[in-house]
Amino acid sequence: MSGAEPQEKKSLILVVEDDTSIRELVKEALEHFQFAVVEARNGAEGVAAFTAHKPEIVLMDVRMPVMDGFEATAALRRIPAAATTPILILTGLDDTDSIRRAYEAGATDFASKPVNLFVLGHRVRYMLRAKHALDDLRGSEARLASAQRIARLGNWERQIKSGRMQWSAEMFRIFGVDPKTFKPELRTYLDLLHPQDRELVARATGDAVRREGPYSFDARILVSEGVVRHVHEQAEVVFDDNGTALRLEGTTQDITERKQIEDQIRFLAYYDGLTRLPNRALFVERLNQSLAGAQRQGRTLAMLFLDLDRFKRINDTLGHTLGDRLLQAVSERLKKCLRSTDTIARGDPLASSDSVARLGGDEFIVTISDIARGEDAARIARRIIESMAEPFMLDDHEVFVTGSIGISLFPHDGADVETLLKNADSAMYHAKDAGRGNYQFYNKSMNASAFQRLALENAMRKALERGEFMLHYQPQVDVTTGAIFGAEALIRWKHPDLGMVAPADFIPLAEESGLILPIGEWVVRAASAQGKAWQDAGHGPLIVAVNLSGRQFRQQQLVHTVDDALKETGFDPRCLELEITESVLVQNVEDAIASLKRLRAMGPRVSIDDFGTGYSSLTYLKRFPIDTLKIDQSFTRDIGTDPGDAAITAAIIAMAEGLKMAVIAEGVETEEQRDCLLDRRCRLMQGYLFSKPVPAEQFKVLLEKQAAGHKIGAQTKPRRRAAR
Ligand code: C2E
Ligand code: MG
Ligand code: MG
């Protein structure tokens, strides 16, 4: 016998055989082939010997006492270490049934007795070689799997045509699905992705096929309710010889942790850890963007630099922990008071609370990206200062803190972040010098005008509570009869120091600050109550006209406000007239038409005030549901001297007539004007010629005179052409 190869370490073979002579022969033959041999005399001994010696191959007889070969093979397969060990059954029973039973029990192969010892030696050697190759393969597969598990990287294939997929074990783990029940294919895979990222896959695949190149993208997967995982997918397309795309081969890696770390790094780099507000770096970055936008759109931007007063003392007396807590509480208040934007004139410039940043220490910065004028910034500064007025509760300590604010405006006080910051900072020091707990503009002149406006705004707020507003009434006259048919209510403010303030001096500010809403509500109520009182006093169906400002008119609440006022006062809705200036109506025609319809549906009449100044086109005019046109004073003024104005006035009157609207001429001061208007068939008028706006008691005197037969401002000489 030959063929023995030198071996470093002899492979161990277990021979399980009850027949001593056969066992000896086999042993000898195997030893000749340079194998080491362990012997066992029956199945039970064989199982024990396996556990004790871990042989590489088992030769197993079938018929043995105690435990036969089938049973012993089955028992070995249950031992994990023997799961892949080749078992060669040596049997004299070469009927098919025994062969089947041998394989069922887990045998690798079988050989019939009598054994050809030479062939057996070779056979064992080849079995051993196959086993080693298989072990290597299993080892590298296991290493690959564990490498994939460590890297959280799965690999897969996808058939382009059918969409069917093959996944490695790690894929199932990444996607959180059970390999026993989940069938990977394009559709089920897409279902696992975040809905917003599904399209990405189709696009990437399509691109890759077209370019014949690899692709990669990051996507999100929904692992469970609210839990998102991030994956990085990379793949290549495999084509056949004709260039048809067959399948994709790719990998998917779970990069959730990396993403989280990136977020964390971003947070650390851009946010303040204590207050979670943006830090200086993010603030500068964002402000640079805002400045570019403001520059392009010609907007004014304000920067408020807030520094807490005497913060160092708080830190020293209460300790740093409470000092930190105070800074957190201050930043919360700042955010909160910037969120409630109701009193800011132009919409909602502070929608994002990210416009607050902490520069460091006790310094905060607020940017407002769109303000109408400096006063808006002052208003916010004041609100911030007021928000600090309430004590902060830190543990059991009631801590009082004030802040000083410096304001700089773009573009007036600087064109770049640095200059704006420097100037806001220096203004902040002025605020500290001026006694702390206040604000200062960098530009000194702003302080005065902002102060005036804010003082006026404050006074106006109080005026409502203190009943300083009153209404004057101006009669509206039908000059053909001299009868007073209506009264326009005009607001007056009896200021304790300034005396009577004209509406032109406070209505615009009331509009901006939003105070016009409560004021306007008061006007509608007071005028309706007055109208009702006159009616009750027997002065007939007098029309009372009330002016509505733009902001009031655009407010959704208006219909209810008017309705409530009418119900509460019991004033006949048909006697109330709402005056809206033409310029307000043309700002948003469709909305205006809808609002007018809603108002009129409740009963009141509607008139266009200051008509002729707002450039409304004829097309609009036809569509506005309007009862009355009020010709603006400017046309009346020059009607006798300026042929142009006279012509326009005549045209307005004719047009209103055609549209079945009434026409009232405003600002009639002279008889000449009156007669001119009358000549052009306008008979309803209002103006100093008849009466100035007067308090209600005086108006009542006018009404009483009229009842006694007195004609107010009626035409004195007969005219050739009388109006309707
Ligand atoms: P308007 O509604 O066009 O009111 C007419 C203005 O012309 C009133 O000024 C009135 O006093 C004045 N006027 C009347 N006749 C003559 C005249 O013959 N010659 C001249 N030169 N002026 C005359 P007033 O009361 O100062 O009101 C000014 C504006 O303020 C009003 O213009 C109206 O737009 C607004 N306004 C007045 N009261 C209210 C109110 O309660 N709410 C709102 N939103 N606006 C009001
Ligand atoms: Mg008016
Ligand atoms: Mg007017």
Side-chain angles (χ1 to χ4, degrees), residues 272 274-277 306 308 311 321-337 339 356 358 364 384 387-388 390-395 397 399 401:
D272 163 41
L274 180 66
T275 60
R276 307 188 79 81
L277 289 176
L306 166 73
L308 300 184
F311 178 69
T321 314
L322 286 194
D324 281 355
R325 296 250 312 272
L326 178 64
L327 290 174
Q328 287 170 332
V330 166
S331 80
E332 282 312 307
R333 270 196 204 175
L334 265 178
K335 280 194 274 187
K336 207 166 126 206
C337 94
R339 264 195 300 267
V356 190
R358 182 177 171 220
F364 296 87
I384 291 172
S387 80
M388 303 279 162
E390 284 277 301
F392 291 88
M393 283 306 296
L394 305 175
D395 288 347
H397 303 276
V399 180
V401 71

Side-chain angles (χ1 to χ4, degrees), residues 376-648:
D376 293 342
R379 201 173 286 133
I380 292 163
R382 197 183 55 187
R383 190 141 35 104
I384 291 172
I385 288 166
E386 279 167 6
S387 80
M388 303 279 162
E390 284 277 301
F392 291 88
M393 283 306 296
L394 305 175
D395 288 347
D396 291 335
H397 303 276
E398 245 191 4
V399 180
F400 288 87
V401 71
T402 57
S404 298
I405 296 177
I407 306 173
S408 62
L409 302 178
F410 168 88
H412 319 280
D413 303 334
D416 56 83
V417 177
E418 214 164 296
T419 315
L420 287 167
L421 255 181
K422 194 181 86 213
N423 292 343
D425 188 30
S426 99
M428 185 273 293
Y429 278 101
H430 284 293
K432 294 235 182 212
D433 288 344
R436 300 190 162 89
N438 71 58
Y439 64 86
Q440 289 285 316
F441 282 93
Y442 174 68
N443 181 334
K444 300 277 178 322
S445 67
M446 286 293 308
N447 288 324
S449 70
F451 176 77
Q452 270 172 14
R453 292 179 67 94
L454 289 179
L456 193 65
E457 195 182 307
N458 247 348
M460 204 155 44
R461 214 179 286 274
K462 292 196 184 111
L464 252 183
E465 295 159 20
R466 294 181 184 159
E468 289 170 7
F469 289 119
M470 60 183 296
L471 292 178
H472 279 188
Y473 295 88
Q474 186 175 36
Q476 298 178 324
V477 181
D478 180 340
V479 279
T480 55
T481 60
I484 298 176
F485 68 91
E488 177 173 3
L490 294 155
I491 194 168
R492 300 290 178 262
W493 179 6
K494 233 170 120 185
H495 192 283
D497 306 323
L498 304 174
M500 206 59 101
V501 185
D505 294 331
F506 66 89
I507 293 284
L509 185 59
E511 268 267 295
E512 269 175 33
S513 62
L515 276 173
I516 192 69
L517 299 178
I519 293 175
E521 195 174 331
W522 174 84
V523 171
V524 175
R525 204 169 295 254
S528 302
Q530 189 59 65
K532 170 77 169 141
W534 285 328
Q535 267 175 10
D536 289 351
H539 293 295
L542 188 76
I543 286 171
V544 175
V546 165
N547 293 282
L548 296 183
S549 83
R551 186 150 176 180
Q552 236 180 320
F553 179 63
R554 282 187 288 271
Q555 187 207 21
Q556 289 294 318
Q557 274 303 103
L558 180 65
V559 180
H560 303 291
T561 309
V562 173
D563 196 39
D564 287 352
L566 289 169
K567 290 216 173 84
E568 268 171 47
T569 57
F571 188 47
D572 181 354
R574 288 166 305 176
C575 291
L576 181 67
E577 184 158 284
L578 303 169
E579 294 192 4
I580 298 143
T581 56
E582 188 187 10
S583 52
V584 167
L585 289 179
V586 296
Q587 270 172 30
N588 188 340
V589 175
E590 296 310 320
D591 285 354
I593 291 174
S595 303
L596 291 175
K597 282 189 178 149
R598 258 179 298 166
L599 285 171
R600 277 177 97 228
M602 293 187 312
R605 302 163 58 83
V606 176
S607 62
I608 303 190
D609 205 353
D610 304 343
F611 187 77
T613 60
Y615 308 104
S616 56
S617 79
L618 268 182
T619 352
Y620 293 159
L621 194 61
K622 213 174 63 189
R623 294 181 57 208
F624 286 137
I626 288 291
D627 301 281
T628 310
L629 282 189
K630 295 189 76 177
I631 300 177
D632 190 63
Q633 310 193 351
S634 55
F635 296 103
T636 309
R637 197 178 308 128
D638 302 325
I639 193 170
T641 50
D642 182 334
D645 280 350
I648 292 173

Side-chain angles (χ1 to χ4, degrees), residues 41-63:
R41 285 168 305 169
N42 58 51
E45 264 184 30
V47 173
F50 183 92
T51 317
H53 302 286
K54 301 273 163 15
E56 291 194 54
I57 292 189
V58 180
L59 303 189
M60 179 81 75
D61 184 22
V62 175
R63 281 208 187 138

Side-chain angles (χ1 to χ4, degrees), residues 643-655:
D645 280 350
I648 292 173
T649 310
I652 293 174
I653 296 165
M655 191 169 67

